[in-house]
């Protein structure tokens, strides 16, 4: 059973940097991995994704070059490094993977393509 655990969320000031981690257990095979977020009263939205081999990444338009996504398959962990955080970035951040490992033919920007989800980690950004 694949399990995802996010960590790294906390309260920060606008302009700060923060690094989130998504650690996977239950398999050592590589999945494509996505990060999503949900702010109070809003729909969950795509933030970033990385392919199973780390060769390609995708970002939401609102990221505007502030975030990077990376993976360490030795540690079975995917990271979301965030810089120049804004109050609008305040949300619960979730990581997710598709059901199958390896190359993923679907749309990594679409949350409905993902099967496994973590419980989320909260970021609070104070202005």
């Amino acid at each position: 059973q694949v399990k995802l655990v996010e960590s790294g969320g906390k309260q920060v000031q606008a302009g700060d940097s923060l690094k989130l981690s998504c650690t996977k257990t239950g398999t050592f095979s590589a999945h494509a991995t996505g990060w999503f977020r949900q702010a109070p009263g809003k729909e969950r939205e795509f933030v970033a994704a990385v392919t199973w081999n780390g060769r390609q990444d995708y970002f939401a338009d609102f990221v505007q070059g502030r975030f990077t996504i990376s993976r360490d398959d030795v540690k079975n962990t995917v990271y979301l490094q965030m810089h120049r955080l804004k109050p609008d970035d305040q949300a619960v951040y979730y990581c997710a993977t598709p059901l199958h490992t390896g190359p993923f033919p679907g749309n990594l920007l679409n949350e409905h393509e993902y099967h496994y989800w973590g419980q989320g980690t909260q970021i609070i950004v104070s202005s």
Side-chain angles (χ1 to χ4, degrees):
Q1 178 71 19
V2 173
K3 182 178 179 182
L4 304 175
V5 178
E6 304 93 339
S7 62
K10 65 178 184 178
Q11 183 169 359
V12 297
Q13 296 292 316
D16 284 355
S17 298
L18 193 62
K19 189 174 186 179
L20 303 183
S21 300
C22 170
T23 300
K24 180 176 66 176
T25 59
T27 178
F28 290 104
S29 299
H31 286 85
T33 302
W35 284 95
F36 293 78
R37 70 185 189 184
Q38 188 168 20
K42 295 187 177 181
E43 298 289 318
R44 187 162 58 189
E45 62 181 350
F46 170 77
V47 178
V50 63
T51 53
W52 70 282
N53 56 8
R55 293 182 181 176
Q56 194 161 2
D57 51 29
Y58 306 86
F59 296 94
D61 289 343
F62 62 77
V63 170
Q64 297 179 325
R66 300 180 296 130
F67 300 175
T68 59
I69 187 170
S70 61
R71 60 187 308 139
D72 183 340
D73 289 328
V74 173
K75 296 182 178 180
N76 244 3
T77 299
V78 172
Y79 304 99
L80 182 67
Q81 176 70 60
M82 301 179 289
H83 300 290
R84 302 191 303 279
L85 284 163
K86 306 174 182 179
D88 285 349
D89 294 319
Q90 178 167 315
V92 178
Y93 283 71
Y94 300 90
C95 66
T97 69
L99 177 62
H100 300 294
T101 60
F104 182 70
N107 179 5
L108 287 176
L109 280 66
N110 184 349
E111 66 173 291
H112 300 293
E113 298 276 17
Y114 290 83
H115 183 79
Y116 299 107
W117 290 84
Q119 293 300 304
T121 187
Q122 185 168 28
I123 297 176
I124 298 172
V125 184
S126 302
S127 57

